[in-house]
Structures are given as C-alpha cells and as structure tokens.
Amino acid sequence: MRTNRQVAAFMIIGFAMIFIWLRVLPRISHQPRVMERLQRLDAKGIDASAMFYTELPCMDEILERRGVR
C-alpha cells in the first residue's frame, strides 16, 4: 500500500517533469544559439527530434578518427 508521502513525491516529480517539458524546454529552444543549431541540422536534412548520432552519415568518419572503427 502506498503512503501519502509516496503519492505526494510521485505527484511532485510528475508536476516538475510537466513544467520542464512544457515551460523550460520551449524557452530553451527559442534561444538564438539553439535555433541556429536546429536550423543547421534542418539544412542537412536531420530531424533533431528523432536523431540518433550513430545513424548519421558523418559518424563513420568521426568514429574512424577516434579509432572506434
């Protein structure tokens, strides 16, 4: 059985996550530096919201330089 403290902690964490997702992250995305980065990615045809670095064409060269491949 859950205690009132556990329920309260769960709710606080949930509200904090919602606040960050709906208020903080959108504000960060409108910062000039972040907008510039998103525009560069978009110009290269990279969807920043679904980006996996290991799947980018340029990663092969980067990994070779670092000696991973």
Side-chain angles (χ1 to χ4, degrees):
M1 181 175 275
R2 299 197 192 308
T3 66
N4 287 341
R5 284 180 80 172
Q6 289 173 320
V7 172
F10 179 76
M11 290 178 67
I12 289 170
I13 291 170
F15 284 124
M17 290 173 62
I18 290 169
F19 178 78
I20 290 169
W21 191 263
L22 296 177
R23 298 295 266 171
V24 175
L25 292 178
R27 284 189 140 188
I28 291 172
S29 72
H30 287 93
Q31 297 295 318
R33 193 169 183 185
V34 175
M35 288 180 72
E36 179 185 311
R37 172 76 172 143
L38 292 173
Q39 288 171 349
R40 277 197 318 249
L41 291 173
D42 190 43
K44 293 179 180 180
I46 299 170
D47 181 4
S49 65
M51 186 167 56
F52 294 97
Y53 290 100
T54 56
E55 294 178 356
L56 296 176
C58 63
M59 279 307 294
D60 290 331
E61 180 184 334
I62 293 168
L63 292 173
E64 285 176 15
R65 276 188 287 170
R66 300 191 113 214
V68 178
R69 286 190 182 171

